[in-house]
Amino acid sequence: SPLSLDTFMETMSDRVAARTIIMLDELSFALELSGYDRHFWNTMHALATSATGNRLVFIITAADEPPKLAANYDKTSPFFNLFTAVRLGPLTDTAAREMIAAAPHPFAPADVAWILDQSRLWPVVLQVLCQERLAALEEGDESDAWRVEAASHLTHYAHLLDISLDRRPAAGE
């Protein structure tokens, strides 16, 4: 049956006996969803502080400071003040290649080169592009048509890539 926020709160409060980490990748996506309202974020604050005896830790990724992002979506909460920001930059070429090589199916050298070029070595963009390539390979698609779908995701990361929002590489580019 569906898990309500109250049931989740009770379950987590009762069962988090050891240090536990919840990771939220791309906070802005969650803030865009109506179900993740102020009540939700206030509940997460309670979980992170008193309800679990400070045994629950949240790690989030975000393009901007969490309180600022939350204010942009009119979803302010004390939850967003819990975080210490650590600014991360692009990976090294070696680290990016290692990340790509960890895929369960090997990527062709041309695909690796395209992913590295398009991602500008930003981890989140590498992940998105690799997911698209992997999905195509798992469907048996050896062509480069996946690049069009992968490139459609780049506009969300324009702030990292310093690209025009109109630029969408075509298949084969």
Side-chain angles (χ1 to χ4, degrees), residues 7-172:
T7 304
F8 177 72
M9 174 80 159
E10 290 172 22
T11 301
M12 293 298 287
S13 297
D14 293 342
R15 295 188 182 167
V16 175
R19 199 77 151 152
T20 302
I21 298 172
I22 293 179
M23 297 186 72
L24 300 172
D25 194 15
E26 288 293 316
L27 177 62
S28 60
F29 286 123
L31 289 167
E32 290 172 1
L33 300 172
S34 61
Y36 293 88
D37 57 11
R38 282 190 181 135
H39 176 66
F40 174 84
W41 296 114
N42 288 337
T43 301
M44 294 303 104
H45 179 263
L47 278 173
T49 55
S50 58
T52 58
N54 293 315
R55 291 183 303 274
L56 183 62
V57 175
F58 287 85
I59 297 174
I60 62 171
T61 65
D64 207 341
E65 300 289 329
K68 184 177 176 182
L69 275 176
N72 290 342
Y73 290 93
D74 195 29
K75 294 183 180 180
T76 57
S77 166
F79 174 77
F80 299 110
N81 297 320
L82 295 175
F83 300 94
T84 300
V86 176
R87 297 230 177 253
L88 302 177
L91 297 173
T92 64
D93 185 77
T94 300
R97 288 177 185 278
E98 288 174 1
M99 183 176 162
I100 294 169
H105 300 289
F107 296 171
D111 292 337
V112 171
W114 188 86
I115 290 169
L116 292 171
D117 178 63
Q118 296 298 308
S119 70
R120 311 289 199 286
L121 307 181
W122 283 97
V124 66
V125 185
L126 274 164
Q127 177 186 356
V128 168
L129 298 179
C130 286
Q131 284 175 333
E132 288 297 330
R133 183 58 187 136
L134 185 58
L137 288 172
E138 288 178 344
E139 292 172 2
D141 183 355
E142 297 287 334
S143 76
D144 64 0
W146 66 275
R147 292 181 185 184
V148 174
E149 179 63 26
S152 73
H153 299 293
L154 295 179
T155 56
H156 184 74
Y157 304 102
H159 63 284
L160 296 175
L161 303 174
D162 193 31
I163 60 173
S164 164
L165 293 179
D166 306 332
R167 185 180 184 286
R168 293 187 187 250

